[in-house]
Amino acid sequence: MLETRIERLPQDDWREVSPFPFTAARGAFAGMTTDPDKVDLRYYRRPDGSLAAVARFGPRAEGAPGLVHGGAILTALDESLGAAAWLAGIPSLTASLTTEFRRGVPTGAVCLVSTRLLGERHRVANLDGELTGTDGTVYARAQGRFIRLS
């Protein structure tokens, strides 16, 4: 992934999308991304077709003082990678997620989650993603394997 400075999130030429057909069922999940005081995720299709997510980490996402809890970061990466799979026509569930934390994310940060579908073989889709700040700081990277639903 590229480390770049983003002046504004989202960009003017990004189109907001809803990647999951079951958005109404969001209350059935852990709830972290349904509470804007924790993590607020908005998804956008870029002109090149790739998926970007804008993640806002609210005050209730705090772990260590002044920093976002690692579980909130994992949630943003996991959900964004899954969203990229669903938008690519691969309805799936997470099989594995490997995450590399590079720096602490400040509470209140607005970040970009860039995703990329690397390919699908049999029923396994491989994706990677990166959580960056608007100044280009790379906070975390993730690689995920997602199993296609039958």
Side-chain angles (χ1 to χ4, degrees), residues 64-75:
L67 296 174
V68 174
H69 189 280
I73 295 167
L74 285 170
T75 297

Side-chain angles (χ1 to χ4, degrees), residues 63-128:
L67 296 174
V68 174
H69 189 280
I73 295 167
L74 285 170
T75 297
L77 287 163
D78 179 39
E79 187 167 310
S80 296
L81 292 176
W86 278 80
L87 276 178
I90 305 169
S92 55
L93 297 173
T94 308
S96 67
L97 185 69
T98 303
T99 306
E100 173 190 349
F101 296 96
R102 309 260 321 220
R103 296 182 188 272
V105 177
T107 304
V110 177
C111 295
L112 173 66
V113 184
S114 299
T115 62
R116 182 173 54 162
L117 175 64
L118 302 173
E120 181 184 22
R121 183 171 176 172
H122 304 292
R123 293 183 55 220
V124 179
N126 292 295
L127 295 101
D128 69 7

Side-chain angles (χ1 to χ4, degrees), residues 1-2 5 7 10 25-26 35 42 69-70 74 76 78 87 94-95 107 109 125 127 140-141:
M1 299 277 168
L2 298 174
R5 182 176 195 86
E7 296 298 324
R26 296 301 296 166
D35 182 347
R42 306 288 172 171
H69 189 280
L74 285 170
D78 179 39
L87 276 178
T94 308
T107 304
L127 295 101
R141 291 189 171 120

